[in-house]
Amino acid sequence: MPRAERLFDLLQILRRHRQPVSGASLAGELGVSLRTLYRDIAALQRLGAEVDGEPGVGYVLRPGFLLPPLMFAEEEMEAVMLGIRWVAERGDPRLAAAARDARARIGAVLPAELRDRIGTPSLLIGPESAGSADTVDLALLRDALRRERKLALVYRDQSGAETERTVWPVALGFFDRMRMLVAWCELRDGFRHFRTDRMVSATVTDQRPPRRRAALLTAWRESEGIRCMDC
């Protein structure tokens, strides 16, 4: 069993016990030697877990410790790093930079064996297909989504005709060739999908939509027959 996965399991065992549990009991449940168990306890303490106790007495985990990113299982870490690499290569400049920073931050605290593996990944991102460039700063759209604010758009349709829209942002979809904003359009009185490469301008207003974004997302999914955004 990889060490990162074993440390995760050790934390889960300690969480189940409110009273000190002996090192021998912990080692037996994990299937490791006492010496390995003591090293793993020390590793958790270095990571910030407040594990009280000592050999021959028993160990107990104080409440409140949150799992850092390195405590994912191997396949979970592979999934996380694949997603980060995709965003680093396909996201807009600010989102790509954030992905690279996140990758560096996670790599800095990983155990050596996992750090080596993410440095030489076996899951790769294929070449990007040619697509149209975004004509607005996607950071503005993300800001409107986070703060739940209406957007004032000037939008150009496929034929080149421009319209002014006030929309309630719901979600931002990232596709291989383009990005698309899902929003409720006040002009059309319904959900619409706006390609970011056809936005002439986008301005975040101070107005909140009359419905929360979570409710809008649920309504949009139902209108499209979508059970899960990630499916």
Side-chain angles (χ1 to χ4, degrees), residues 93-156:
R94 288 181 62 175
L95 204 58
R100 289 191 293 270
D101 288 344
R103 181 172 56 192
R105 183 172 298 182
I106 292 173
V109 295
L110 282 175
E113 62 267 25
L114 281 184
R115 187 164 56 247
D116 292 341
R117 289 177 191 174
I118 69 167
T120 55
S122 58
L123 306 180
L124 304 177
I125 307 298
E128 184 175 9
S129 301
S132 302
D134 301 313
T135 52
V136 297
D137 185 356
L138 298 193
L140 290 174
L141 307 186
R142 294 197 300 273
D143 179 58
L145 286 163
R146 282 193 298 265
R147 298 195 295 122
E148 299 191 37
R149 295 293 189 273
K150 293 183 180 182
L151 273 173
L153 293 181
V154 177
Y155 191 72
R156 182 183 297 117

Side-chain angles (χ1 to χ4, degrees), residues 41-79:
I41 290 288
L44 288 179
Q45 291 171 333
R46 287 195 299 271
L47 294 171
E50 295 189 45
V51 182
D52 291 339
E54 59 186 36
V57 176
Y59 297 93
V60 63
L61 176 68
R62 290 186 183 179
F65 178 66
L66 299 177
L67 293 178
L70 63 88
M71 297 312 301
F72 289 117
E74 278 192 273
E75 286 191 341
E76 292 172 337
M77 181 56 68
E78 286 180 340

Side-chain angles (χ1 to χ4, degrees), residues 11-228:
L11 274 174
Q12 296 302 94
I13 295 170
L14 287 169
R15 279 200 169 100
R16 295 200 303 264
H17 296 274
R18 294 190 176 183
Q19 300 300 322
V21 56
S22 70
S25 177
L26 291 171
E29 192 164 349
L30 290 169
V32 298
S33 67
L34 270 176
R35 183 176 180 181
T36 297
L37 183 279
Y38 296 150
R39 286 201 300 264
D40 288 350
I41 290 288
L44 288 179
Q45 291 171 333
R46 287 195 299 271
L47 294 171
E50 295 189 45
V51 182
D52 291 339
E54 59 186 36
V57 176
Y59 297 93
V60 63
L61 176 68
R62 290 186 183 179
F65 178 66
L66 299 177
L67 293 178
L70 63 88
M71 297 312 301
F72 289 117
E74 278 192 273
E75 286 191 341
E76 292 172 337
M77 181 56 68
E78 286 180 340
V80 169
M81 298 310 297
L82 181 64
I84 286 177
R85 287 196 299 274
W86 192 95
V87 175
E89 294 186 23
R90 304 287 175 85
D92 60 273
R94 288 181 62 175
L95 204 58
R100 289 191 293 270
D101 288 344
R103 181 172 56 192
R105 183 172 298 182
I106 292 173
V109 295
L110 282 175
E113 62 267 25
L114 281 184
R115 187 164 56 247
D116 292 341
R117 289 177 191 174
I118 69 167
T120 55
S122 58
L123 306 180
L124 304 177
I125 307 298
E128 184 175 9
S129 301
S132 302
D134 301 313
T135 52
V136 297
D137 185 356
L138 298 193
L140 290 174
L141 307 186
R142 294 197 300 273
D143 179 58
L145 286 163
R146 282 193 298 265
R147 298 195 295 122
E148 299 191 37
R149 295 293 189 273
K150 293 183 180 182
L151 273 173
L153 293 181
V154 177
Y155 191 72
R156 182 183 297 117
D157 65 20
Q158 191 172 5
S159 64
E162 294 185 5
T163 54
E164 294 184 2
R165 315 282 189 106
T166 297
V167 303
W168 312 345
V170 176
L172 185 60
F174 286 76
F175 299 86
D176 192 41
R177 296 174 62 88
M178 54 89 179
R179 284 83 167 172
M180 183 177 292
L181 178 73
V182 178
W184 178 273
C185 178
E186 293 185 354
L187 179 66
R188 304 302 186 203
D189 193 30
F191 290 110
R192 291 294 185 271
H193 305 98
F194 300 94
R195 290 177 55 141
T196 59
D197 57 349
R198 293 180 183 168
M199 294 179 181
V200 179
S201 65
T203 304
V204 182
T205 74
D206 291 329
Q207 296 178 310
R208 284 183 175 272
R211 300 173 65 187
R212 298 302 304 268
R213 193 183 70 82
L216 290 169
L217 182 60
T218 298
W220 171 74
R221 285 174 173 168
E222 292 175 351
S223 71
E224 297 290 322
I226 299 173
R227 290 187 178 182
C228 174

